[in-house]
């Protein structure tokens, strides 16, 4: 069995997410996509992952920070690890060292086994935001001061700040920045 295992938040790169080369058409090839929640930051990315999944890829979301964009393990004999972009192009590491291949495969499997399937993740405890909550979230993302955001929403400054605090609690965030990230992870409208 061959395993393709991209592993981080760049689902908007269609060539990497879709597994170009139509290898997914082969019955002995299974593409495994392991991504962090950041990969679900916008609806286009989520829709693309659903499409990839409908073509036979297995997609899971992990709470673990995934530092590299792509890991490809072929027949558990060859590993291709994509690194960072550099001024001269992208760095790749290719190895047939069985110790390295087995080690990376074991780490991938451990994260994969603890990760949640895409559909389950998307249906899981996403907090419901009413119209006011959506407006507050949009105001937070606008970069306005509290005073200007409250004024534009027709709220007192005290009410606006209370609603921001309620929204942060609902999103289980400790800061406004964290609230915005969490909203993106959950695919909430902003």
């Amino acid at each position: 069995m061959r395993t393709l295992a991209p592993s981080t938040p760049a689902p908007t790169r269609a060539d990497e997410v879709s597994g170009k080369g139509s290898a997914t058409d082969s019955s002995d090839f299974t593409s495994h996509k392991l991504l962090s929640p950041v990969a679900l930051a916008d609806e286009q990315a989520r829709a693309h992952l659903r499409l990839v999944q409908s073509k036979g890829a297995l997609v899971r979301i992990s709470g673990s920070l995934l530092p590299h964009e792509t890991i490809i393990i072929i027949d558990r004999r060859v590993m291709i690890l994509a690194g960072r972009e550099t001024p001269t192009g992208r760095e790749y590491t290719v190895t047939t060292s069985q110790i390295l291949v087995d080690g990376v495969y074991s780490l991938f499997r451990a994260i994969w086994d603890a990760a949640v399937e895409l559909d389950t993740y998307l249906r899981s405890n996403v907090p419901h935001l009413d119209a006011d909550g959506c407006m507050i979230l949009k105001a937070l993302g606008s970069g306005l001061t509290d005073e200007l955001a409250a004024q534009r929403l027709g709220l007192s400054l005290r009410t606006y700040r209370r609603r921001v605090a309620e929204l942060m609690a609902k999103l289980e965030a400790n800061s406004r920045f964290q609230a915005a990230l969490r909203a993106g992870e959950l695919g909430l409208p902003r």
Side-chain angles (χ1 to χ4, degrees), residues 147-167:
E147 292 80 7
L148 281 174
Q151 183 180 12
R152 287 198 180 166
L153 294 174
L155 302 172
S156 72
L157 179 59
R158 185 175 175 176
T159 299
Y160 175 78
R161 287 183 174 159
R162 180 178 49 81
R163 290 195 179 162
V164 167
E166 290 167 356
L167 178 66

Side-chain angles (χ1 to χ4, degrees), residues 1-189:
M1 176 172 94
R2 294 182 187 161
T3 302
L4 171 65
S7 64
T8 54
T12 54
R13 292 188 180 175
D15 57 331
E16 293 175 15
V17 174
S18 65
K20 276 197 178 178
S22 66
T24 55
D25 297 336
S26 172
S27 61
D28 67 341
F29 182 87
T30 303
S31 174
H32 292 71
K33 302 209 58 66
L34 181 59
L35 304 138
S36 66
V38 175
L40 305 173
D42 62 60
E43 184 54 39
Q44 181 181 358
R46 289 188 298 279
H48 188 73
L49 285 174
R50 286 187 195 106
L51 174 66
V52 168
Q53 187 178 37
S54 74
K55 302 286 185 188
L58 303 176
V59 180
R60 290 192 181 180
I61 306 301
S62 170
S64 300
L65 179 62
L66 304 168
H68 295 290
E69 191 166 336
T70 306
I71 300 170
I72 302 171
I73 301 174
I74 303 168
D75 293 332
R76 295 201 49 199
R77 294 181 305 185
V78 178
M79 176 183 67
I80 303 168
L81 179 61
R84 304 179 187 148
E85 289 285 343
T86 67
T88 59
R90 186 131 200 204
E91 294 179 340
Y92 292 90
T93 301
V94 179
T95 186
T96 57
S97 166
Q98 201 58 55
I99 293 171
L100 291 175
V101 171
D102 289 345
V104 170
Y105 182 79
S106 294
L107 291 171
F108 171 79
R109 285 306 306 188
I111 296 171
W112 178 264
D113 291 344
V116 178
E117 291 182 11
L118 176 64
D119 294 334
T120 302
Y121 185 87
L122 292 174
R123 286 191 308 263
S124 67
N125 301 324
V126 176
H128 172 72
L129 296 185
D130 58 13
D132 289 342
C134 290
M135 288 184 351
I136 297 293
L137 188 57
K138 190 172 185 175
L140 280 176
S142 71
L144 297 173
T145 64
D146 284 359
E147 292 80 7
L148 281 174
Q151 183 180 12
R152 287 198 180 166
L153 294 174
L155 302 172
S156 72
L157 179 59
R158 185 175 175 176
T159 299
Y160 175 78
R161 287 183 174 159
R162 180 178 49 81
R163 290 195 179 162
V164 167
E166 290 167 356
L167 178 66
M168 288 173 52
K170 196 177 260 193
L171 294 172
E172 298 175 352
N174 296 321
S175 70
R176 292 171 182 219
F177 178 75
Q178 206 176 41
L181 283 178
R182 179 88 171 119
E185 289 172 358
L186 296 170
L188 295 172

